[in-house]
Amino acid sequence: MSADERAELQARRLDDLLGRLAERSPLYRERLAGAGVGPGARVGLDGLADLPFTTKQDLWDGYPWGLLTVPRSQVVRVHGSSGTGGRPTLVAYSRTDLDIWAQVCARALGCAGAGPGTVTQVAYGYGLFTGGLGLHGGAELMGCTVIPASSGQSSRQVLLLRDLGAEVLCCTPSYAVRLGEVLGEEGIRKDELRLRAGIFGAEPWSEAMRAQIESLLPLKALDIYGLSEVIGPGVSCECIEGQAGLHVSEDHFLVEVVDPETGRQLGPGDRGELVFTTLTRDAMPVLRYRTGDIASLDPSPCVCGRTLVRMSKVTGRKDDMLVIRGVNVYPSEVEAVLVAERAVGPQYLLVVDRTETLPKLVVACELAAGWSICAETEEAERARVAAEVGAALLQRLGLATDVRVLPIGAIPRIETGKAKRVVERIHDDNPLPGWL
């Protein structure tokens, strides 16, 4: 589809969405009226920047059914993500929504080169988290042979990868690293696997981690993006030909990048906060939803031939940015330094220590498996690597950090869910690892 054709489709669907929201949503009816948009108004893409934003707080305020635009009886599934105070952010799906979700996830699998009969192992968690069931639905629509492994039981996961000849692996990037570790622990060689592509999402991850995953597993690592408030995974995905940005399904999701502070729209290549409008969502559509995720857009042609705009990898979340002694630090920047160090393994943990007057950042990592040292010199080697990593972090961040290089296995492994990479220490009696 050409850019002009797509813009015409988007404008028509945006106006249809505004009409539905004004008719069926008390929240949006009031906000649209405040923006001068009444029933039947035709706004088009040129008027998008004048429309109101939606935030996660709006979903919490409308919990659980307040943002529905269909009768509750038409809700066939509910998904959600964690929220404050243990209350999740719940999102409702109609039958139409599930069909659209399967379509965009099938597109993601198509980006990975999958087709009918492709053996696809889904190792995202199944449940309220959207990862497992989202990719599962897309794989079934594509006609793939689906292995619904879910997350955890890593020894069994690698046996299934080998014995069933999985060609595509779907999981979080941190769990892909874990499976690469377990592959070695189980004595399974990479050439015993038929993997050729991995679809990894739900966590920000760097180019350096891509290289690390591809060194551990025999595949091309592709990024997939989504969030339950928009639909789940499948909002965008990298293609196996380019691995250079995630193609956004623009016929379903209208994407913008705005200045995180002012909300002003930014141009191609400018890094800012991703904002999405769900053009075709049925049960719980959102208008200009502020994701908090930081990325940029690239409308230039892709080598794969797709004409969809590409978004960069998410470099971090607006609310995940750490401020340490006046320096802004995204965890992904620390990860990039750690992954580039050959002597350091893939597991790490960042501790923001606030027990003193000025906070400090403790960077905990491990020696890489197979790093050749003898027991008598291990402590000295860990000190040497820590100094080297500290110097690299100082150069990249402009911040002195407290680097701890630990023995292999000292950092807890994550078998299920998203990896927790950042913790805070506020009091001396915080329940944190003994090495702190």
Side-chain angles (χ1 to χ4, degrees), residues 71-95:
R72 219 285 303 145
S73 59
Q74 293 182 19
V75 174
V76 297
R77 193 189 297 173
V78 173
H79 280 284
S81 57
S82 59
T84 58
R87 184 177 66 176
T89 303
L90 295 182
V91 181
Y93 295 73
S94 69
R95 175 61 58 191

Side-chain angles (χ1 to χ4, degrees), residues 305-341:
R306 291 174 178 85
T307 61
L308 300 165
V309 70
R310 285 170 290 152
M311 53 174 271
S312 70
K313 277 181 168 293
V314 172
T315 57
R317 285 189 55 79
K318 182 177 66 173
D319 51 2
D320 281 351
M321 185 181 73
L322 307 175
V323 181
I324 310 294
R325 304 189 182 200
V327 178
N328 297 339
V329 178
Y330 284 105
S332 57
E333 294 180 291
V334 179
E335 177 186 278
V337 171
L338 295 177
V339 174
E341 173 56 63

Side-chain angles (χ1 to χ4, degrees), residues 125 218 300 309 424:
S300 65
V309 70
E424 285 202 354

Side-chain angles (χ1 to χ4, degrees), residues 28 227 237 255:
Y28 284 118
L227 60 167
C237 188
V255 62

Side-chain angles (χ1 to χ4, degrees), residues 201-218:
E203 304 164 351
W205 53 294
S206 63
E207 288 296 326
M209 181 171 272
R210 188 203 303 273
Q212 187 173 55
I213 291 172
E214 292 181 348
S215 72
L216 292 168
L217 296 169

Side-chain angles (χ1 to χ4, degrees), residues 251-381:
D251 50 336
H252 294 293
F253 314 111
L254 187 57
V255 62
E256 309 167 70
V257 170
V258 304
D259 184 295
E261 302 302 324
T262 67
R264 179 179 59 86
Q265 283 184 333
L266 301 178
D270 293 334
R271 193 170 76 158
E273 182 181 1
L274 288 170
V275 172
F276 284 97
T277 296
T278 56
L279 296 174
T280 55
R281 191 82 188 267
D282 185 33
M284 196 178 283
V286 290
L287 176 65
R288 302 195 76 200
Y289 181 76
R290 300 190 64 154
T291 66
D293 292 325
I294 306 298
S296 61
L297 297 178
D298 180 2
S300 65
C302 181
V303 295
C304 72
R306 291 174 178 85
T307 61
L308 300 165
V309 70
R310 285 170 290 152
M311 53 174 271
S312 70
K313 277 181 168 293
V314 172
T315 57
R317 285 189 55 79
K318 182 177 66 173
D319 51 2
D320 281 351
M321 185 181 73
L322 307 175
V323 181
I324 310 294
R325 304 189 182 200
V327 178
N328 297 339
V329 178
Y330 284 105
S332 57
E333 294 180 291
V334 179
E335 177 186 278
V337 171
L338 295 177
V339 174
E341 173 56 63
R342 291 177 54 247
V344 170
Q347 307 297 335
Y348 69 91
L349 184 67
L350 310 183
V351 180
V352 181
D353 189 344
R354 303 189 187 278
T355 58
E356 300 177 2
T357 304
L358 293 175
K360 68 176 180 179
L361 181 62
V362 181
V363 179
C365 53
E366 298 178 352
L367 279 179
W371 193 249
S372 182
I373 53 174
C374 62
E376 291 79 7
T377 60
E378 178 179 343
E379 187 172 344
E381 178 66 2

